[in-house]
Amino acid sequence: MSMAFCSCFDEVQTGLGRTGAMFAYEHYGVLPDVLTLAKGIGGGFPLSAMLAKEAYNLFEAGDQGGTYTGQPLAMAVGLAVVGEIVQRKLPQQAAEQGRYLLKKLHDVQEHYGLAHIRGKGLLLAFDLPEPRGAELAVACLDAGLLINSSSPITIRLMPALIVTKAEIDEMMTLLCSVMDQVFHGAAVQG
């Protein structure tokens, strides 16, 4: 008996341009059978979606409901957001700005002891030399920069898809100033 496999991709965070392609799966030369979306599809409005090839579609119209699906306002928002992402070529923007931000991170990597700089587009991360991620995130917030410490040693960066090089430069200036304070005891310039 042969078994058929269904490929399911969770693109809740990665979908709709975040990684420098409309969908992250495009970087890997695969085509999922089922795809989940949220966050980016609503542009801040609570919305989610599940896309499936017809062979894997188990629902009739109206069968599946949820808090963040299917109602008219959410659908209008999703249509507008996806239209803007496509029209403004935001996946390409994310790819370009992501390459710029990666270069900036590599430029300071040795000075701050950063390791395992990784990611695609505007979904990037790096590891700290010490497990002080939460402390760094709080100090950055106090300085006006929002970052995420997804583990005690890992920092995740997710700038807006419309971020400019000037804003990346400003972000890196703040980040480096805060890292100087946290890791070297220098005062933050703000």
Side-chain angles (χ1 to χ4, degrees):
M1 173 199 295
S2 69
M3 297 181 75
F5 292 95
C6 172
S7 64
C8 300
F9 280 65
D10 173 358
E11 295 240 15
V12 166
Q13 289 193 43
T14 58
L16 298 161
R18 174 61 51 194
T19 66
M22 193 62 161
F23 302 103
Y25 75 77
E26 295 175 88
H27 295 290
Y28 304 103
V30 296
L31 185 61
D33 298 312
V34 177
L35 179 74
T36 58
L37 298 170
K39 297 187 181 190
I41 197 171
F45 186 87
L47 179 59
S48 64
M50 182 180 76
L51 310 175
K53 290 180 179 177
E54 191 56 42
Y56 298 95
N57 180 7
L58 306 176
F59 303 108
E60 296 294 327
D63 279 356
Q64 176 62 24
T67 305
Y68 302 122
T69 59
Q71 41 96 355
L73 177 59
M75 296 300 95
V77 168
L79 184 60
V81 168
V82 172
E84 283 293 304
I85 290 170
V86 170
Q87 189 267 328
R88 294 176 68 175
K89 299 180 177 164
L90 294 182
Q92 294 90 331
Q93 157 88 2
E96 178 183 335
Q97 301 300 30
R99 284 189 296 273
Y100 183 74
L101 180 51
L102 272 174
K103 181 194 177 309
K104 293 291 190 178
L105 289 169
H106 284 291
D107 288 348
V108 301
Q109 179 176 11
E110 187 175 329
H111 180 75
Y112 294 105
L114 307 181
H116 197 205
I117 297 172
R118 59 201 179 273
K120 293 188 180 305
L122 291 172
L123 181 58
L124 302 174
F126 58 88
D127 292 338
L128 299 170
E130 303 170 27
R132 297 173 68 184
E135 180 184 350
L136 182 64
V138 168
C140 280
L141 185 58
D142 289 345
L145 177 63
L146 182 61
I147 64 172
N148 177 256
S149 177
S150 57
S151 80
I153 203 161
T154 300
I155 298 298
R156 184 172 51 187
L157 304 175
M158 293 178 57
L161 295 181
I162 58 171
V163 71
T164 64
K165 283 184 174 58
E167 290 166 332
I168 290 171
D169 290 342
E170 182 180 353
M171 180 203 79
M172 287 300 298
T173 298
L174 273 172
L175 179 62
C176 289
S177 178
V178 173
M179 286 193 297
D180 283 335
Q181 174 198 11
V182 170
F183 295 114
H184 304 122
V188 173
Q189 303 295 317

